[in-house]
Amino acid sequence: MNSLSYRKMKSKWIVLLVTLAVSLFQIVIVSFRPAVPSTSKDEPAPRLMAENGSGISVVACSLTSARTSSLRNAQAIENIIKTLPSKSHVLLFVNDPSSFKTNHSARVTFVELPETSRISIWPQDPFLVLRSRGESTLLVPRIFERGDDSKMPEQLAEKLDLRLIRSNLIFEGGNIVCGDQMAIIGNDTILQNVREGENDREKVIRDFEKQLGLDVVVVGQGVQSVGHIDLIVTPIGVNRVVVADSFWGAELMMTAIHEHPAQLTKFESQCEQQFFGDANIESLTDAAGERINRPTMIGGAYQAIRNSFLLAEELNLIADQLSEQGFEVTRMPALIPQMRTTELNYPMLTYNNVLLETRDAQPIVYLPQYGLPTLDKACAAEWKRL
């Protein structure tokens, strides 16, 4: 794996141990006919699909080979399938289909990639979904260099008979989220396009607005501490947005240390034991031949708390930027360790990286749970309040 995917794996591995987070990308598809962009008065041009909306119809997930990976991704996907409504169909990108079994064959379709394909568990990143009159178009970046993930949207478009458009811009889907009337983009994406496309900043933003069919607000200042804003920013409809609050998360973690030390020790021990999906595995070798050792988590909460306190100001800035753009901002606790590091560190506990849908007039959130009750319960209560 390249350095970018390696860093991302290290910062987001905890999601493999839980239920519904990074490896799931919502795609609501009413019709499988290809969408053709149009700017006529009668037919609106496609626009970026909102994070919230009607019931989830089709989802796409990815699974790496069960024979070559000890990660517990198959168990996570099984949990996703069981949790989603029975009417939702699941497409599974796989490079080794015979190594997986499913008890949900009627609602699961395998999308096969060559066995040598180096796909990750993050299918959300190599494309965006545009919608127009119930039809979907896949927008892919000009380049996407993480393994063979760029093959996933091509296979998806072929499987569902969707139109695929290649952008002249560079982006990762995780750094772009969408509300009802506005797309929100992390500053890293704008900086990368300015740097590699030799364009001025305002032109890059205008290009994104044209291709996404929405006004754009850029959040952050300088290089992002959290590489993808879908971990910290969640539009929930009616011009409302939820922004992570790492100061609040750090305070809750302090409560866990002082009032529930046994729960915290159990959580950290499970993180260590389940890191590779099998307690008997002590290390792995990545594609570059580098050794990955089981990390030490016991006692790591203090460093994660420290970094969360330091990050709070950056997240407050994002909340202020969105408020200035007219959003009603609600905060959500998060524990965010240092993410731009070469070391395998403490897990990130984010309750922003969720799935949203409205089914039978009821808004629903699919919320990850990490096994640390102090934070899990507090954030579940906040989502119920919303």
Side-chain angles (χ1 to χ4, degrees):
M1 64 183 73
N2 60 29
S3 58
L4 176 60
S5 63
Y6 184 43
R7 290 195 302 270
K8 188 167 183 180
M9 181 197 76
K10 292 180 292 190
S11 63
K12 299 172 81 172
W13 65 267
I14 183 64
V15 178
L16 300 175
L17 310 181
V18 295
T19 55
L20 303 165
V22 180
S23 63
L24 181 59
F25 181 57
Q26 174 185 353
I27 310 168
V28 182
I29 300 173
V30 177
S31 169
F32 289 167
R33 296 191 304 274
V36 179
S38 170
T39 57
S40 68
K41 294 181 180 179
D42 297 329
E43 186 175 351
R47 57 184 287 180
L48 182 62
M49 187 182 72
E51 304 294 318
N52 63 297
S54 58
I56 297 173
S57 173
V58 179
V59 299
C61 308
S62 57
L63 285 168
T64 54
S65 170
R67 278 187 271 263
T68 60
S69 171
S70 65
L71 300 175
R72 301 176 64 180
N73 48 10
Q75 180 180 338
I77 297 300
E78 180 75 7
N79 189 290
I80 289 170
I81 295 171
K82 289 180 179 179
T83 305
L84 287 171
S86 59
K87 294 181 179 180
S88 299
H89 196 80
V90 179
L91 298 174
L92 293 182
F93 294 110
V94 292
N95 58 1
D96 189 8
S98 61
S99 67
F100 296 105
K101 296 180 181 179
T102 175
N103 297 321
H104 312 273
S105 57
R107 53 189 296 231
V108 175
T109 299
F110 285 102
V111 182
E112 297 185 28
L113 294 164
E115 189 172 353
T116 56
S117 299
R118 296 183 297 113
I119 59 174
S120 77
I121 58 164
W122 300 293
Q124 177 161 336
D125 293 333
F127 66 100
L128 296 170
V129 179
L130 307 179
R131 299 280 288 162
S132 177
R133 291 195 172 185
E135 296 183 336
S136 296
T137 300
L138 306 186
L139 181 70
V140 300
R142 175 165 58 86
I143 57 173
F144 194 85
E145 298 179 336
R146 189 178 66 211
D148 294 313
D149 284 1
S150 60
K151 296 179 180 179
M152 290 196 280
E154 297 171 359
Q155 292 292 321
L156 185 63
E158 181 179 347
K159 177 68 69 173
L160 299 181
D161 192 24
L162 301 175
R163 182 178 176 85
L164 189 147
I165 299 175
R166 188 166 300 279
S167 172
N168 65 315
L169 298 166
I170 303 170
F171 58 82
E172 293 188 3
N175 209 35
I176 301 175
V177 296
C178 184
D180 294 329
Q181 303 296 327
M182 190 173 293
I184 305 170
I185 302 179
N187 196 49
D188 277 1
T189 296
I190 305 302
L191 293 176
Q192 183 180 15
N193 280 277
V194 170
R195 182 175 63 250
E196 300 191 23
E198 299 182 357
N199 295 315
D200 65 84
R201 182 180 179 87
E202 293 305 315
K203 183 179 185 306
V204 169
I205 295 173
R206 289 196 304 270
D207 286 348
F208 269 113
E209 290 180 330
K210 181 178 180 180
Q211 294 185 28
L212 303 182
L214 290 165
D215 290 337
V216 163
V217 56
V218 181
V219 294
Q221 192 173 67
V223 177
Q224 298 170 213
S225 295
V226 179
H228 281 177
I229 63 169
D230 64 354
L231 294 167
I232 54 175
V233 177
T234 312
I236 60 173
V238 198
N239 215 38
R240 296 186 300 163
V241 63
V242 179
V243 177
D245 186 337
S246 60
F247 191 96
W248 189 359
E251 287 186 320
L252 287 172
M253 200 62 167
M254 291 290 291
T255 298
I257 289 174
H258 295 295
E259 298 183 10
H260 309 288
Q263 290 182 4
L264 179 59
T265 299
K266 180 180 178 181
F267 166 73
E268 293 178 337
S269 178
Q270 288 178 339
C271 288
E272 289 186 9
Q273 294 171 5
Q274 298 178 354
F275 181 78
F276 289 125
D278 187 331
N280 295 318
I281 299 175
E282 294 295 333
S283 66
L284 285 177
T285 302
D286 66 16
E290 297 293 331
R291 184 171 179 174
I292 305 173
N293 295 314
R294 183 191 304 278
T296 299
M297 294 293 157
I298 304 297
Y302 291 99
Q303 185 62 35
I305 289 171
R306 178 179 180 274
N307 195 76
S308 292
F309 280 134
L310 292 174
L311 185 62
E313 185 176 349
E314 184 175 333
L315 298 180
N316 291 342
L317 170 65
I318 291 174
D320 290 343
Q321 289 173 326
L322 291 170
S323 180
E324 290 170 2
Q325 292 293 327
F327 285 95
E328 178 186 337
V329 178
T330 299
R331 306 303 296 273
M332 185 67 60
L335 185 77
I336 306 178
Q338 186 176 358
M339 299 186 68
R340 293 185 179 273
T341 174
T342 59
E343 300 297 324
L344 293 168
N345 56 13
Y346 211 78
M348 177 181 186
L349 275 60
T350 169
Y351 300 85
N352 281 82
N353 202 8
V354 300
L355 289 179
L356 299 166
E357 69 169 339
T358 300
R359 192 173 291 272
D360 299 326
Q362 174 66 51
I364 298 170
V365 58
Y366 296 87
L367 183 67
Q369 298 287 275
Y370 298 93
L372 187 58
T374 303
L375 274 84
D376 285 348
K377 290 181 179 179
C379 293
E382 284 301 301
W383 275 106
K384 288 177 181 179
R385 185 180 66 80
L386 289 171

